[in-house]
Amino acid sequence: EHGEVAMAVMITRDITAHKRAELGLREAVRARDEFVSVASHELKTPLTSLQLQIEGLRRALSRRSEDGVPDDRIRKFTEQTSRQTARLGQLVDDMLDLSRIATGKFRIDPAPMDLAATVSDVIERLRPQLEAANGEVRLDLREPVPGSWDRERIEQVLSNLLTNAMRYGKGAAVEVGLRRTPELAELTVTDHGVGIAPEDLARIFERFERAISASEVSGLGLGLFISRQIVEAHRGRIWVESELGKGATFHVELPLYGASPSR
């Protein structure tokens, strides 16, 4: 009888210790997510200010020359600084989104829009970088594609896919297509670069994952993970078809009017 009591006490202690460890782990995760959120906001403020200052300097350069300093040299410096600032801003945005996803605060706000116009706008905005990296961008839009989506978030998905095409496309052309069916918008982004191994086709949509070694590309490995969260929040789906050495085609399907605002 005494042995049974002692065993019961040991089991109770083990359960209590396990619960305490689990509670401690949850608290550590909560603290980590809170840190990421706070750090991201703190970084975002000076980055935004710096970007505005750079844009102001660029406009000033278009109006007059600086004494003793060649215009092209200053312009090159400001353009490089602007690109790096934009890259830092994107890293911060990814950290913020990761924190929102982890804490259940990730939101979308769909509204009527033309997806074809949005795709065209994003490509035009990124065209200089795309052409510098890949030489040619082929856009296949056959008609307007009206629907209800969160424009900013859909732009984020397309920017992530185009950034991947620049990273892995190995200088080949990038093709972007958009089709409309009675119920869906179907977006594709195709590169003709290194391709993806079969065992990695699903893995690359997880957080901190990449198609190739992190030593070969920059970034946090969050772009496709966040893109999947955005697409699924719109009740859509995203996937990739690829073979090693033969490039990759990313597919995004979005219901035309299926998304509801997040609460």
Side-chain angles (χ1 to χ4, degrees):
E1 183 175 299
H2 290 293
E4 293 177 355
V5 172
M7 180 65 70
V9 170
M10 290 178 61
I11 292 174
T12 301
R13 287 176 178 173
D14 287 342
I15 292 174
T16 302
H18 178 74
K19 287 183 176 179
R20 286 176 179 171
E22 186 176 48
L23 183 62
L25 179 59
R26 289 178 181 174
E27 178 61 23
V29 171
R30 186 202 63 77
R32 179 205 63 190
D33 292 334
E34 182 178 354
F35 168 77
V36 170
S37 179
V38 171
S40 299
H41 280 295
E42 291 297 321
L43 285 168
K44 189 70 173 177
T45 299
L47 283 173
T48 301
S49 176
L50 179 58
Q51 184 71 49
L52 291 173
Q53 292 173 357
I54 292 170
E55 290 302 322
L57 177 59
R58 183 178 293 171
R59 288 193 296 271
L61 284 171
S62 68
R63 294 192 297 267
R64 66 183 181 85
S65 300
E66 295 288 339
D67 293 338
V69 181
D71 277 1
D72 57 348
R73 181 178 175 183
I74 298 176
R75 185 171 292 107
K76 181 178 180 180
F77 168 77
T78 56
E79 288 174 352
Q80 290 174 342
T81 305
S82 181
R83 284 195 297 269
Q84 291 302 317
T85 304
R87 180 173 177 272
L88 286 170
Q90 184 59 60
L91 292 174
V92 172
D93 286 340
D94 285 349
M95 291 171 63
L96 279 170
D97 281 339
L98 181 63
S99 177
R100 293 184 186 113
I101 292 166
T103 56
K105 297 178 181 179
F106 190 75
R107 301 288 184 263
I108 63 168
D109 186 18
M113 56 174 278
D114 177 9
L115 186 56
T118 298
V119 170
S120 295
D121 289 345
V122 172
I123 289 175
E124 285 308 308
R125 189 163 63 242
L126 295 178
R127 189 176 291 277
Q129 298 97 300
L130 285 164
E131 291 182 345
N134 303 88
E136 185 179 3
V137 184
R138 300 171 187 162
L139 180 58
D140 184 7
L141 302 177
R142 300 184 180 181
E143 59 181 343
V145 182
S148 181
W149 303 286
D150 185 320
R151 179 186 175 106
E152 182 177 346
R153 289 300 188 179
I154 296 302
E155 288 182 350
Q156 187 177 353
V157 172
L158 182 56
S159 294
N160 284 335
L161 295 181
L162 291 172
T163 298
N164 273 357
M166 285 188 275
R167 285 176 177 166
Y168 302 110
K170 296 296 184 181
V174 173
E175 300 161 8
V176 180
L178 181 64
R179 299 286 182 274
R180 178 186 178 183
T181 71
E183 297 180 351
L184 297 171
E186 300 176 347
L187 173 70
T188 58
V189 176
T190 300
D191 69 70
H192 300 277
V194 297
I196 305 167
E199 62 270 20
D200 294 330
L201 293 178
R203 178 182 63 81
I204 60 172
F205 290 99
E206 300 300 324
R207 70 186 73 192
F208 308 123
E209 296 289 352
R210 298 173 176 85
I212 61 177
S213 169
S215 63
E216 299 180 53
V217 294
S218 61
L220 298 175
L222 291 172
L224 290 178
F225 170 72
I226 294 170
S227 294
R228 179 166 64 88
Q229 304 301 314
I230 293 171
V231 171
E232 291 180 354
H234 283 83
R235 301 181 183 176
R237 66 187 187 114
I238 182 171
W239 74 97
V240 62
E241 296 176 343
S242 180
E243 293 182 41
L244 281 176
K246 296 184 179 180
T249 296
F250 285 85
H251 299 262
V252 176
E253 286 185 349
L254 297 166
L256 297 179
Y257 297 97
S260 301
S262 299
R263 299 295 180 185

